[in-house]
Amino acid sequence: MRTRPVLVYDGDCAFCTTCVRFIERRIKPRCETTPWQFADLDSLGVTQERAAYELLWVTPTGVTYGGAQAVAKLLLYAGGAWAVPGALITLAPVRWVAQGAYRLIAANRERMPGGTPACGLPAASRRADVG
């Protein structure tokens, strides 16, 4: 059984990788970070489709949060001053705005600083409503 949460991200996306490196250096949430391309998704209880669609936070008990809620859980788990924005992101209507902003960024991540054409999601993934 895992004792720490796992942050699962797209390792093929330079923007995603840059964000995770920032998280590791600045936020230090005491979790495992792994690109979904190298993760044992079955043991995490996550499908490849969902992992390719959004950032995931998998708790030690196997509960999975995606997108903006994964960010919220990461910030809450980091504690300290980071817990304040994490808590805010879990509250409606901030949660709705955060999820909309997350989806907008995810759909355009190849255009974000550090992004490359490899960061672009396949068109089918952009329209998916996974979570």
Side-chain angles (χ1 to χ4, degrees):
M1 180 177 190
R2 281 185 311 281
T3 58
R4 296 184 341 162
V6 180
L7 183 68
V8 181
Y9 66 97
D10 186 349
D12 285 339
C13 174
F15 176 71
C16 299
T17 302
T18 299
C19 290
V20 169
R21 296 300 163 249
F22 174 85
I23 289 165
E24 291 172 335
R25 280 190 327 274
R26 304 286 187 196
I27 299 175
K28 301 176 184 175
R30 301 176 327 270
C31 67
E32 295 177 36
T33 58
T34 186
W36 70 260
Q37 293 87 345
F38 299 109
D40 183 354
L41 297 177
D42 288 337
S43 75
L44 293 172
V46 173
T47 65
Q48 181 177 335
E49 178 182 73
R50 184 163 186 202
Y53 180 71
E54 63 187 348
L55 179 75
L56 299 173
W57 179 263
V58 183
T59 69
T61 60
V63 178
T64 303
Y65 298 91
Q69 290 308 297
V71 174
K73 294 299 181 180
L74 177 143
L75 294 171
L76 284 165
Y77 192 77
W82 294 110
V84 174
L88 289 173
I89 294 171
T90 66
L91 303 173
V94 177
R95 178 177 62 238
W96 307 324
V97 173
Q99 190 62 23
Y102 179 90
R103 291 285 12 116
L104 182 65
I105 291 168
N108 294 286
R109 58 191 176 160
E110 74 277 6
R111 296 182 186 113
M112 301 302 289
T116 65
C119 300
L121 290 172
S125 295
R126 282 191 219 118
R127 288 190 297 272
D129 187 20
V130 178

